[in-house]
Amino acid sequence: MAEETVDALARAQAVDGSAGAAHRHDALLSARAANIKQSAVRDVFEISMQPGLVSLAGGNPNLASLPLERLGETARRIIAERGLEALQYGGGQGTLELRTQICEVMAAEGILDADPDNVVITAGSQSAQDVAAKVFCNPGDVILLEDPTYVGALNTFEAYEVDVQPVAGDEHGIIPSELRTRIAALQAEGRRIKLLYTIPNFNNPSGVMLAPERRQEIVDICREANILVLEDNPYGLLKFDGVLPAPLRAANPEDVLYLGSFSKIFAPGLRIGWALVPAHLLQRFYLASEAVTLCPPTFNQLLVSDYLGSYDWQGQISTYRSLYRDRCAALLSALDEFMPAGVSWTRPEGGFFVWLTLPEGIDTYPLLHRGIDAGVVFVPGAAFTAAKGPSNKLRLAYSAVPPETLREGVKRLAPVLAEAIAAL
Amino acid sequence: MAEETVDALARAQAVDGSAGAAHRHDALLSARAANIKQSAVRDVFEISMQPGLVSLAGGNPNLASLPLERLGETARRIIAERGLEALQYGGGQGTLELRTQICEVMAAEGILDADPDNVVITAGSQSAQDVAAKVFCNPGDVILLEDPTYVGALNTFEAYEVDVQPVAGDEHGIIPSELRTRIAALQAEGRRIKLLYTIPNFNNPSGVMLAPERRQEIVDICREANILVLEDNPYGLLKFDGVLPAPLRAANPEDVLYLGSFSKIFAPGLRIGWALVPAHLLQRFYLASEAVTLCPPTFNQLLVSDYLGSYDWQGQISTYRSLYRDRCAALLSALDEFMPAGVSWTRPEGGFFVWLTLPEGIDTYPLLHRGIDAGVVFVPGAAFTAAKGPSNKLRLAYSAVPPETLREGVKRLAPVLAEAIAAL
């Protein structure tokens, strides 16, 4: 199961981090340490790893279609022939070669003017979120975000004592007028809003894509309010069909800090992500990143560079698009077939996730355990929101599960949800 | 040149991070962002990379004696045979296999009771320092440390607005009575001291080893004052001869958070370090680590595991010990031969560095540029201290330089220092 899912389940249970009895070292903990959530659901994971259980919880990419033999040979050659470089410290910003290639990846994503000098390679894009919070946020500062949003970002921001504030959205993403209203209300309270964190393409967990016609207006609203946009786009290239909408960053180089990742289009186990930073913020961001990890892993960068330089990485993305399109279709079809009345869900055009809404009054957290009893695992919705209290939502991931297993998982889930609805 | 050296030179120049003209986004920066130093000496690096220049600046390990062909084949096999695991997300704490093997490495370092459950694998040990500062330190809290100490730790701690306070030491490391006095003085001022950060074995940059007979007393003093010891031991196994002194952690599992690294004994380009965390602090530390990087790179962990499981890693360390012993001896011999009167230096028993002291009144920072003109690069002492103002110290690294080149470097450096002394 993806580690992100562990976080999500921990967060869904909302247990605070103070484990066990008091200790004299408790006095040594920082104020922010209290915001770092403890996982009290490790037992659930152990259970969820049991054979026979269908996991619709983990947002892992499907790696089976990667050319593993050839990638192994590439890895061999890098270490045998360039080992003194591959195994040595490197520059804190990442290699120029990979930063240059990342600009080509961003061109495919719709950003045509990226300069390798403004790219900072990070230990996964999670690390770039951490650096952004560190560089921009004092305790109590506000980050606006979608509700629901990525559990890892919530955890990272809250570890800096950031006040994460949701902005209302619909099936086309953040609603510009709602953003305007929210900013005005928070500013009227004297709050300092630093960032808008958004996953415009196939949001994790909702699968929602921000409508192209809303994008520039959202950036304009933020610019007027002097709020930097933190755009997280790991799924952008994984649109099933048609033209990709331009990222918010595309026409707004000064107002958007853009985060990218190889975790969904290549290999999360290499932990290589990046930030494209507005030029005037580059030094701050880069040096803060260096203070956390010194430098990104050199071998990993060389392997990604070879993959981008010598393999048909765009063809692989086409493969992924149709693979995930088929899986998403299988999941949606199973939902249509099996879900009881009262349950609704999103119909994503890309990415890894479908988001289910149950009738008001149902808490999906206790249903997790009933689902496991029925042989299926999902992530309860409370994981993906800063709001306290129960959630009537849940996330299903189709990325790592073959179509027939998706169908079986939904078939097992349906009576659990039906029973909860009947008990209302 | 090692990235750490870039930091060091930047720090030596003590330039603040505000680059260029004011921008409306300056208002978005966090208070801690002002503490993140900017490198204004990148030009110096570019110069220092010129062929013909002898660099005694970079603390890179010597990787030439690693079996690169065989390691390449191991990497090939891992990806070809276990690619679906190696390239996928992993657990946030790191693999159980590697955590178990790390306990064997720590046994070689003198810690016999480590439990894999209390090990957290991090993206280099720098990342563990970052997490420690995050979990324990509010702005204004004090971390005690050696003076001089590791530039990366200073940068990391200051990024959390920590007040780093030096404790006086001598050629045998921190002086216990000075530690006691310093704690009392700071507590009398109402300061909150959270951690003592120490590199007891072959401190970077001084090369000094903390005397074995002082070690327990230092832990006892910290325990009485409820200060957690953060022990950083990347060079512990690289003692040239004789028995390794026991780490502070060895007999003090509750009072020492221990940091280890594969960067000096294997491969820094893999960015695999670890923390051995007191059991009562484990959950906090682990979850904070997960919030930064989600999980350490999986492939890299599998490669290190194979190296520890199938290679003669202890034999490789013996090779390194004699290699670095010979290089250190060559450097010391050249210093004896060429250095002018008024210069003194440490005589390390292990590690990578020798620390030079010039007469009072000399600032080694401007000498950096004169050294480059003379064909040799070093790191000025101001990099390694929290104290403001000029430093009459400098660091020479022998780890990455063959003996004859070390001699040539010192020969070039001597007249630069002699001239500075003559001008006093």
Side-chain angles (χ1 to χ4, degrees), chain A residues 329-395:
Chain A
L331 179 60
L332 293 174
S333 161
L335 290 168
D336 289 337
E337 182 177 353
F338 294 113
M339 277 296 125
V343 182
S344 61
W345 51 91
T346 56
R347 294 193 162 267
E349 296 175 54
F352 285 8
F353 308 107
V354 169
W355 185 238
L356 270 64
T357 301
L358 279 68
E360 293 281 342
I362 291 181
D363 179 1
T364 54
Y365 187 77
L367 300 187
L368 170 64
H369 300 273
R370 290 188 222 160
I372 290 168
D373 290 342
V376 61
V377 195
F378 60 86
V379 183
F384 304 99
T385 177
K388 306 298 175 205
S391 166
N392 62 330
K393 321 271 189 177
L394 63 86
R395 187 188 81 176

Side-chain angles (χ1 to χ4, degrees), chain B residues 204-226:
Chain B
N204 174 1
S206 73
V208 163
M209 182 178 84
L210 177 63
E213 61 274 18
R214 291 182 182 179
R215 296 187 173 206
Q216 189 56 47
E217 188 176 359
I218 284 172
V219 179
D220 292 342
I221 292 167
C222 287
R223 182 190 294 113
E224 284 160 27
N226 202 27

Side-chain angles (χ1 to χ4, degrees), chain A residues 3 7 23-25 30-32 37 87 89 130 134-136 138 156 254-255 264 269 280 287 290-291, chain B residues 3 7 23-25 30-32 37 87 89 130 134-135 138 156 254-255 264 269 280 287 290-291:
Chain A
E3 192 51 34
D7 283 358
H23 189 282
R24 64 191 157 81
H25 286 161
S30 65
R32 71 178 79 81
K37 304 290 191 301
L87 302 179
Y89 289 111
D130 176 79
K134 185 182 237 174
V135 167
F136 294 108
N138 295 317
T156 296
E254 197 170 340
D255 295 286
K264 308 305 191 271
H280 61 283
L287 293 167
E290 199 174 72
Chain B
E3 191 53 33
D7 283 358
H23 188 283
R24 65 191 156 80
H25 285 160
S30 66
R32 69 178 79 81
K37 304 291 191 300
L87 301 180
Y89 289 110
D130 175 78
K134 185 182 238 175
V135 167
N138 295 316
T156 296
E254 197 169 339
D255 296 287
K264 309 305 191 271
H280 60 283
L287 293 168
E290 199 174 71

Side-chain angles (χ1 to χ4, degrees), chain A residues 216-259:
Chain A
Q216 189 57 46
E217 187 177 358
I218 284 171
V219 179
D220 291 342
I221 293 167
C222 287
R223 183 190 294 111
E224 283 160 29
N226 202 28
I227 295 167
L228 187 69
V229 177
L230 185 60
E231 178 177 26
D232 191 8
N233 195 23
Y235 309 100
L237 290 173
L238 298 178
K239 188 165 185 282
F240 303 145
D241 298 289
V243 178
L244 306 181
L248 283 71
R249 164 60 179 77
N252 300 285
E254 197 170 340
D255 295 286
V256 180
L257 201 165
Y258 181 85
L259 306 183

Side-chain angles (χ1 to χ4, degrees), chain A residues 278-299:
Chain A
H280 61 283
L281 296 167
L282 179 75
Q283 287 280 36
R284 300 275 190 188
F285 192 93
Y286 157 48
L287 293 167
S289 177
E290 199 174 72
V292 178
T293 49
L294 213 55
C295 60
T298 318
F299 166 81

